[in-house]
Amino acid sequence: MPILHGTYFLPVLAQVPDGWEGPHLWAWSDDGANAFEAWPGEAMAEEDGWYTVQAPGWINSVIINGNAGSVQTADLSVESGVDVWVVVTDAENASVTYEAP
C-alpha cells in the first residue's frame, strides 16, 4: 500500500527480460519519501505485454526489480507527474521514456 505524500497516481510501465519473475516497482522522491512501505515495492500486473503499477505522481526515482528483489536495475531518474515507460534490457541497461515506445 502506498504511503500518501500526494493525492494523484500515474502509471509506471515496464518491459523486463525473460527470467525476471514477478516484477515490482520501488520508487521514491529526492526528499527521501518512499512510495511503498517495504522492498521489493509494489507488484506490477501484466497488461498487453507491459508490466504496470500506479505510483504517486511525486516520485522522481525508480528501480524495477524481479525474482523477489534479487535482480534489479540501477536507480533510474524519472520526471515527476508524468506516465513513465521503462524498457529493461538487463540489470545494467534500462531506458526511460514518457511515451509508449
Side-chain angles (χ1 to χ4, degrees), residues 5-95:
H5 182 74
T7 56
Y8 63 97
F9 291 81
L10 296 165
V12 175
L13 300 97
Q15 288 183 334
V16 299
D18 290 340
W20 282 38
E21 300 298 324
H24 281 65
L25 173 71
W26 183 249
W28 66 98
S29 68
D30 286 341
D31 67 4
N34 291 323
F36 309 112
E37 294 192 21
W39 181 261
E42 194 74 10
M44 301 181 86
E46 190 170 4
E47 224 177 85
D48 298 326
W50 289 86
Y51 288 93
T52 185
V53 67
Q54 295 289 313
W58 48 262
I59 63 167
N60 57 20
S61 298
V62 300
I63 291 173
I64 307 295
N65 67 82
N67 302 356
S70 65
V71 292
Q72 69 182 58
T73 65
D75 297 356
L76 303 171
S77 293
V78 299
E79 289 183 30
S80 297
V82 297
D83 298 359
V84 176
W85 281 263
V86 180
V87 176
V88 180
T89 306
D90 55 44
E92 290 80 36
N93 298 290
S95 63

